[in-house]
Amino acid sequence: MSTERAPEKKRRSNAERSAATRSAVLDATITAIVRYGYRGATSERIAEISGLTRGAQKHHWSTKAEMVVEALLYLHDKLMVVTVAELDQAAGKGIRPVLDALWRSFQTDLFTAADELHVAARSEGELRPKLIEAEREIGRRIGDVTTAALDDGRQSARRLGEVGAHAVNVMRGMAFQSALLPSPEREQRQLTVLEQAVAALLEAEAG
């Protein structure tokens, strides 16, 4: 009869447990915002979704505004891994694959949550400056990966940045419209028009 003992599971450190708790609360915060909006994403609902006590929220964040903005950046970090991989695959294959990959990033909980926070920030003085700072960071990240994917070596960095920003802003408008009235057919037509516009803008400098 074997006397070997089963290997003991490695106990998580305090830092690992803290990080796991933080991630669970941030995931629950995004879920609550998507389901109930900013004001409806109460500490009670976040606690219920996360399976953790309200004390876990108070331990890591001093205000709701801090928590929801960090949740937005946290979700964006996770989505950027997928988006960057897709844009890397699309690079060099033409404009449309790049736009398709970028558009998929607008069809996620990130955009829905950001939309809810944008509306709330109009009347929530504490949320507004934190959200503006987070949006600048998110915009910079998206802009960097988009311009890198569109770069064929013929345009200046400034021109690529302008065209990338234009594409992102158009997709923001498309996403707002689709949130209220989804239409895959309309979205594909809009992407075709955007593809033509991006091509013309890039060729204008390259030529």
Side-chain angles (χ1 to χ4, degrees):
M1 182 176 180
S2 174
T3 58
E4 291 184 5
R5 297 175 61 184
E8 294 183 4
K9 290 184 178 180
K10 182 181 178 181
R11 296 182 63 183
R12 293 191 299 178
S13 67
N14 288 337
E16 289 172 331
R17 288 194 294 272
S18 178
T21 297
R22 199 178 188 93
S23 295
V25 173
L26 293 174
D27 281 326
T29 299
I30 291 295
T31 299
I33 292 171
V34 171
R35 288 181 185 174
Y36 308 113
Y38 176 74
R39 292 187 178 178
T42 61
S43 58
E44 291 83 0
R45 280 174 168 159
I46 293 171
E48 180 181 356
I49 294 169
S50 68
L52 299 167
T53 66
R54 292 169 59 190
Q57 300 168 43
K58 295 179 180 179
H59 176 72
H60 289 281
W61 298 275
S62 58
T63 67
K64 179 181 179 180
E66 289 179 359
M67 184 172 68
V68 298
V69 169
E70 184 173 334
L72 194 67
L73 289 169
Y74 164 80
L75 177 59
H76 189 258
D77 285 340
K78 294 202 297 184
L79 291 176
M80 279 297 288
V81 174
V82 177
T83 301
V84 168
E86 291 187 349
L87 286 172
D88 283 345
Q89 291 182 345
K93 297 180 180 178
I95 294 171
R96 186 54 178 265
V98 172
L99 296 181
D100 286 340
L102 186 61
W103 174 239
R104 283 191 289 274
S105 73
F106 280 86
Q107 298 173 297
T108 64
D109 283 349
L110 174 66
F111 179 81
T112 305
D115 188 13
E116 292 289 342
L117 295 182
H118 291 159
V119 174
R122 292 183 58 194
S123 56
E124 297 286 342
E126 184 180 14
L127 175 62
R128 183 180 177 85
K130 296 183 186 329
L131 183 61
I132 289 174
E133 184 178 349
E135 281 292 330
R136 284 174 179 161
E137 175 61 17
I138 290 173
R140 183 192 62 77
R141 295 176 186 176
I142 295 175
D144 286 348
V145 296
T146 302
T147 54
L150 290 172
D151 188 4
D152 62 4
R154 298 185 299 158
Q155 293 83 19
S156 66
R158 178 178 179 179
R159 186 61 166 180
L160 285 167
E162 292 171 345
V163 174
H166 173 70
V168 169
N169 287 333
V170 169
M171 287 191 185
R172 283 180 183 270
M174 289 172 56
F176 277 119
Q177 185 180 34
S178 295
L180 294 174
L181 188 63
S183 172
E185 294 81 8
R186 183 193 65 239
E187 292 159 12
Q188 290 305 308
R189 291 195 301 270
Q190 290 172 330
L191 285 171
T192 297
V193 173
L194 179 58
E195 177 187 8
Q196 295 167 349
V198 168
L201 290 168
L202 293 176
E203 286 298 326
E205 182 175 276

Short mmCIF file of all heavy atoms in Angstrom, two decimals, residues 126-162:
data_model
loop_
_atom_site.label_atom_id
_atom_site.label_comp_id
_atom_site.label_asym_id
_atom_site.label_seq_id
_atom_site.Cartn_x
_atom_site.Cartn_y
_atom_site.Cartn_z
N GLU A 126 -17.51 64.22 -8.94
CA GLU A 126 -16.34 63.44 -8.54
C GLU A 126 -15.91 62.48 -9.64
O GLU A 126 -14.72 62.20 -9.83
CB GLU A 126 -16.64 62.66 -7.26
CG GLU A 126 -15.45 61.90 -6.72
CD GLU A 126 -15.78 61.12 -5.46
OE1 GLU A 126 -16.98 60.95 -5.16
OE2 GLU A 126 -14.84 60.68 -4.78
N LEU A 127 -16.87 61.97 -10.39
CA LEU A 127 -16.58 61.00 -11.44
C LEU A 127 -15.95 61.65 -12.67
O LEU A 127 -15.05 61.07 -13.29
CB LEU A 127 -17.88 60.28 -11.85
CG LEU A 127 -17.80 59.30 -13.03
CD1 LEU A 127 -16.85 58.15 -12.71
CD2 LEU A 127 -19.20 58.77 -13.36
N ARG A 128 -16.40 62.83 -13.01
CA ARG A 128 -16.01 63.47 -14.28
C ARG A 128 -14.50 63.57 -14.49
O ARG A 128 -13.99 63.08 -15.52
CB ARG A 128 -16.66 64.86 -14.37
CG ARG A 128 -16.38 65.58 -15.68
CD ARG A 128 -17.04 66.95 -15.70
NE ARG A 128 -16.72 67.68 -16.90
CZ ARG A 128 -17.37 67.56 -18.04
NH1 ARG A 128 -18.39 66.72 -18.12
NH2 ARG A 128 -17.02 68.26 -19.10
N PRO A 129 -13.72 64.17 -13.59
CA PRO A 129 -12.28 64.30 -13.86
C PRO A 129 -11.56 62.96 -13.93
O PRO A 129 -10.62 62.79 -14.72
CB PRO A 129 -11.76 65.14 -12.69
CG PRO A 129 -12.79 64.98 -11.61
CD PRO A 129 -14.09 64.81 -12.31
N LYS A 130 -12.00 62.00 -13.14
CA LYS A 130 -11.36 60.67 -13.17
C LYS A 130 -11.67 59.96 -14.48
O LYS A 130 -10.80 59.29 -15.05
CB LYS A 130 -11.85 59.83 -11.98
CG LYS A 130 -11.45 60.37 -10.62
CD LYS A 130 -11.89 59.44 -9.51
CE LYS A 130 -11.65 59.99 -8.12
NZ LYS A 130 -10.53 60.84 -7.92
N LEU A 131 -12.90 60.12 -14.97
CA LEU A 131 -13.28 59.48 -16.22
C LEU A 131 -12.56 60.12 -17.40
O LEU A 131 -12.13 59.42 -18.33
CB LEU A 131 -14.79 59.56 -16.42
CG LEU A 131 -15.34 58.86 -17.67
CD1 LEU A 131 -15.03 57.36 -17.63
CD2 LEU A 131 -16.85 59.07 -17.78
N ILE A 132 -12.41 61.43 -17.38
CA ILE A 132 -11.70 62.12 -18.46
C ILE A 132 -10.27 61.60 -18.56
O ILE A 132 -9.75 61.32 -19.65
CB ILE A 132 -11.70 63.65 -18.22
CG1 ILE A 132 -13.12 64.21 -18.45
CG2 ILE A 132 -10.71 64.35 -19.15
CD1 ILE A 132 -13.26 65.68 -18.09
N GLU A 133 -9.62 61.46 -17.42
CA GLU A 133 -8.24 60.95 -17.40
C GLU A 133 -8.17 59.52 -17.94
O GLU A 133 -7.28 59.17 -18.73
CB GLU A 133 -7.70 61.00 -15.97
CG GLU A 133 -6.25 60.57 -15.85
CD GLU A 133 -5.74 60.68 -14.43
OE1 GLU A 133 -6.43 61.28 -13.58
OE2 GLU A 133 -4.64 60.15 -14.16
N ALA A 134 -9.14 58.69 -17.53
CA ALA A 134 -9.16 57.30 -17.99
C ALA A 134 -9.43 57.23 -19.49
O ALA A 134 -8.82 56.42 -20.21
CB ALA A 134 -10.22 56.51 -17.23
N GLU A 135 -10.34 58.07 -19.98
CA GLU A 135 -10.67 58.06 -21.40
C GLU A 135 -9.47 58.49 -22.25
O GLU A 135 -9.26 57.99 -23.35
CB GLU A 135 -11.86 58.98 -21.67
CG GLU A 135 -13.20 58.37 -21.32
CD GLU A 135 -13.56 57.23 -22.25
OE1 GLU A 135 -13.14 57.24 -23.42
OE2 GLU A 135 -14.26 56.31 -21.81
N ARG A 136 -8.69 59.42 -21.74
CA ARG A 136 -7.48 59.83 -22.46
C ARG A 136 -6.51 58.67 -22.59
O ARG A 136 -5.90 58.46 -23.65
CB ARG A 136 -6.82 61.00 -21.74
CG ARG A 136 -7.53 62.34 -21.94
CD ARG A 136 -6.91 63.42 -21.09
NE ARG A 136 -7.57 64.71 -21.31
CZ ARG A 136 -7.51 65.73 -20.46
NH1 ARG A 136 -6.80 65.62 -19.34
NH2 ARG A 136 -8.12 66.86 -20.74
N GLU A 137 -6.37 57.91 -21.51
CA GLU A 137 -5.47 56.76 -21.54
C GLU A 137 -5.98 55.68 -22.49
O GLU A 137 -5.22 55.12 -23.28
CB GLU A 137 -5.31 56.20 -20.13
CG GLU A 137 -4.49 54.92 -20.03
CD GLU A 137 -3.06 55.08 -20.50
OE1 GLU A 137 -2.57 56.23 -20.60
OE2 GLU A 137 -2.41 54.05 -20.79
N ILE A 138 -7.28 55.40 -22.43
CA ILE A 138 -7.86 54.40 -23.32
C ILE A 138 -7.74 54.85 -24.77
O ILE A 138 -7.38 54.07 -25.66
CB ILE A 138 -9.34 54.15 -22.95
CG1 ILE A 138 -9.42 53.41 -21.61
CG2 ILE A 138 -10.05 53.35 -24.05
CD1 ILE A 138 -10.82 53.25 -21.08
N GLY A 139 -8.02 56.13 -25.03
CA GLY A 139 -7.89 56.66 -26.38
C GLY A 139 -6.48 56.56 -26.91
O GLY A 139 -6.25 56.24 -28.08
N ARG A 140 -5.50 56.83 -26.04
CA ARG A 140 -4.09 56.73 -26.45
C ARG A 140 -3.74 55.30 -26.81
O ARG A 140 -3.08 55.05 -27.83
CB ARG A 140 -3.18 57.22 -25.32
CG ARG A 140 -1.70 57.22 -25.68
CD ARG A 140 -0.83 57.43 -24.45
NE ARG A 140 -0.98 56.34 -23.48
CZ ARG A 140 -0.42 55.14 -23.63
NH1 ARG A 140 0.30 54.86 -24.70
NH2 ARG A 140 -0.60 54.21 -22.71
N ARG A 141 -4.19 54.35 -25.99
CA ARG A 141 -3.87 52.94 -26.26
C ARG A 141 -4.48 52.49 -27.58
O ARG A 141 -3.81 51.85 -28.41
CB ARG A 141 -4.42 52.06 -25.13
CG ARG A 141 -3.77 52.28 -23.77
CD ARG A 141 -4.48 51.41 -22.75
NE ARG A 141 -4.04 51.64 -21.38
CZ ARG A 141 -4.57 51.04 -20.33
NH1 ARG A 141 -5.57 50.20 -20.49
NH2 ARG A 141 -4.12 51.29 -19.11
N ILE A 142 -5.77 52.80 -27.78
CA ILE A 142 -6.43 52.38 -29.02
C ILE A 142 -5.79 53.06 -30.22
O ILE A 142 -5.57 52.45 -31.27
CB ILE A 142 -7.94 52.71 -28.96
CG1 ILE A 142 -8.62 51.89 -27.87
CG2 ILE A 142 -8.61 52.44 -30.31
CD1 ILE A 142 -10.08 52.23 -27.67
N GLY A 143 -5.49 54.35 -30.07
CA GLY A 143 -4.86 55.08 -31.16
C GLY A 143 -3.52 54.49 -31.55
O GLY A 143 -3.21 54.36 -32.74
N ASP A 144 -2.72 54.12 -30.57
CA ASP A 144 -1.39 53.57 -30.84
C ASP A 144 -1.47 52.26 -31.64
O ASP A 144 -0.76 52.07 -32.63
CB ASP A 144 -0.63 53.32 -29.53
CG ASP A 144 -0.14 54.61 -28.88
OD1 ASP A 144 -0.19 55.66 -29.55
OD2 ASP A 144 0.27 54.55 -27.71
N VAL A 145 -2.35 51.35 -31.21
CA VAL A 145 -2.42 50.05 -31.89
C VAL A 145 -3.08 50.19 -33.26
O VAL A 145 -2.74 49.46 -34.20
CB VAL A 145 -3.15 49.00 -31.03
CG1 VAL A 145 -2.38 48.73 -29.75
CG2 VAL A 145 -4.58 49.41 -30.72
N THR A 146 -4.02 51.13 -33.39
CA THR A 146 -4.69 51.32 -34.68
C THR A 146 -3.74 51.90 -35.71
O THR A 146 -3.66 51.42 -36.85
CB THR A 146 -5.91 52.24 -34.52
OG1 THR A 146 -6.81 51.69 -33.56
CG2 THR A 146 -6.64 52.40 -35.85
N THR A 147 -3.01 52.94 -35.33
CA THR A 147 -2.08 53.56 -36.28
C THR A 147 -0.95 52.60 -36.65
O THR A 147 -0.50 52.58 -37.80
CB THR A 147 -1.48 54.86 -35.70
OG1 THR A 147 -0.89 54.59 -34.42
CG2 THR A 147 -2.55 55.91 -35.53
N ALA A 148 -0.52 51.78 -35.70
CA ALA A 148 0.52 50.80 -36.01
C ALA A 148 0.02 49.79 -37.04
O ALA A 148 0.76 49.38 -37.95
CB ALA A 148 0.96 50.08 -34.73
N ALA A 149 -1.24 49.39 -36.92
CA ALA A 149 -1.80 48.42 -37.85
C ALA A 149 -2.02 49.02 -39.24
O ALA A 149 -1.94 48.30 -40.25
CB ALA A 149 -3.13 47.88 -37.31
N LEU A 150 -2.27 50.32 -39.32
CA LEU A 150 -2.51 50.98 -40.61
C LEU A 150 -1.22 51.43 -41.29
O LEU A 150 -1.23 51.76 -42.47
CB LEU A 150 -3.40 52.22 -40.40
CG LEU A 150 -4.86 51.96 -40.03
CD1 LEU A 150 -5.54 53.28 -39.68
CD2 LEU A 150 -5.61 51.27 -41.16
N ASP A 151 -0.13 51.43 -40.57
CA ASP A 151 1.13 51.97 -41.09
C ASP A 151 1.72 51.07 -42.18
O ASP A 151 2.05 49.92 -41.94
CB ASP A 151 2.13 52.10 -39.93
CG ASP A 151 3.40 52.83 -40.35
OD1 ASP A 151 3.46 53.30 -41.50
OD2 ASP A 151 4.31 52.93 -39.51
N ASP A 152 1.82 51.62 -43.39
CA ASP A 152 2.47 50.88 -44.48
C ASP A 152 3.80 51.52 -44.87
O ASP A 152 4.36 51.22 -45.93
CB ASP A 152 1.54 50.77 -45.69
CG ASP A 152 1.19 52.13 -46.28
OD1 ASP A 152 1.71 53.16 -45.79
OD2 ASP A 152 0.38 52.18 -47.23
N GLY A 153 4.26 52.43 -44.03
CA GLY A 153 5.56 53.05 -44.26
C GLY A 153 5.55 54.25 -45.17
O GLY A 153 6.61 54.83 -45.45
N ARG A 154 4.37 54.67 -45.62
CA ARG A 154 4.31 55.79 -46.57
C ARG A 154 3.80 57.09 -45.95
O ARG A 154 3.89 58.14 -46.58
CB ARG A 154 3.42 55.42 -47.76
CG ARG A 154 3.91 54.22 -48.57
CD ARG A 154 3.03 54.02 -49.79
NE ARG A 154 1.64 53.76 -49.42
CZ ARG A 154 0.60 53.96 -50.23
NH1 ARG A 154 0.79 54.46 -51.43
NH2 ARG A 154 -0.62 53.67 -49.82
N GLN A 155 3.24 57.01 -44.74
CA GLN A 155 2.65 58.20 -44.12
C GLN A 155 3.45 58.62 -42.90
O GLN A 155 4.15 57.81 -42.28
CB GLN A 155 1.19 57.94 -43.70
CG GLN A 155 0.23 57.73 -44.85
CD GLN A 155 0.24 56.30 -45.34
OE1 GLN A 155 0.69 55.40 -44.64
NE2 GLN A 155 -0.23 56.08 -46.55
N SER A 156 3.31 59.89 -42.57
CA SER A 156 3.96 60.40 -41.37
C SER A 156 3.20 59.91 -40.13
O SER A 156 2.02 59.53 -40.21
CB SER A 156 3.97 61.93 -41.38
OG SER A 156 2.64 62.44 -41.29
N ALA A 157 3.88 59.93 -39.00
CA ALA A 157 3.25 59.52 -37.75
C ALA A 157 2.05 60.42 -37.43
O ALA A 157 1.03 59.95 -36.93
CB ALA A 157 4.26 59.56 -36.61
N ARG A 158 2.19 61.70 -37.75
CA ARG A 158 1.10 62.64 -37.48
C ARG A 158 -0.13 62.28 -38.31
O ARG A 158 -1.26 62.27 -37.80
CB ARG A 158 1.54 64.06 -37.79
CG ARG A 158 0.45 65.10 -37.59
CD ARG A 158 0.95 66.50 -37.85
NE ARG A 158 -0.11 67.48 -37.68
CZ ARG A 158 0.04 68.79 -37.84
NH1 ARG A 158 1.24 69.28 -38.16
NH2 ARG A 158 -0.98 69.61 -37.69
N ARG A 159 0.08 61.99 -39.59
CA ARG A 159 -1.05 61.65 -40.46
C ARG A 159 -1.72 60.36 -40.00
O ARG A 159 -2.95 60.25 -39.96
CB ARG A 159 -0.57 61.50 -41.90
CG ARG A 159 -1.69 61.28 -42.91
CD ARG A 159 -2.64 62.45 -42.91
NE ARG A 159 -3.52 62.45 -44.07
CZ ARG A 159 -4.43 63.38 -44.30
NH1 ARG A 159 -4.60 64.37 -43.45
NH2 ARG A 159 -5.19 63.32 -45.38
N LEU A 160 -0.92 59.36 -39.66
CA LEU A 160 -1.47 58.10 -39.18
C LEU A 160 -2.30 58.32 -37.91
O LEU A 160 -3.36 57.72 -37.74
CB LEU A 160 -0.35 57.10 -38.91
CG LEU A 160 0.29 56.46 -40.14
CD1 LEU A 160 1.57 55.74 -39.74
CD2 LEU A 160 -0.67 55.49 -40.81
N GLY A 161 -1.79 59.18 -37.03
CA GLY A 161 -2.52 59.47 -35.80
C GLY A 161 -3.85 60.12 -36.07
O GLY A 161 -4.87 59.79 -35.45
N GLU A 162 -3.88 61.06 -37.03
CA GLU A 162 -5.12 61.75 -37.38
C GLU A 162 -6.13 60.79 -37.99
O GLU A 162 -7.32 60.82 -37.65
CB GLU A 162 -4.82 62.89 -38.35
CG GLU A 162 -4.02 64.03 -37.74
CD GLU A 162 -3.55 65.03 -38.77
OE1 GLU A 162 -3.57 64.71 -39.99
OE2 GLU A 162 -3.14 66.14 -38.38
#
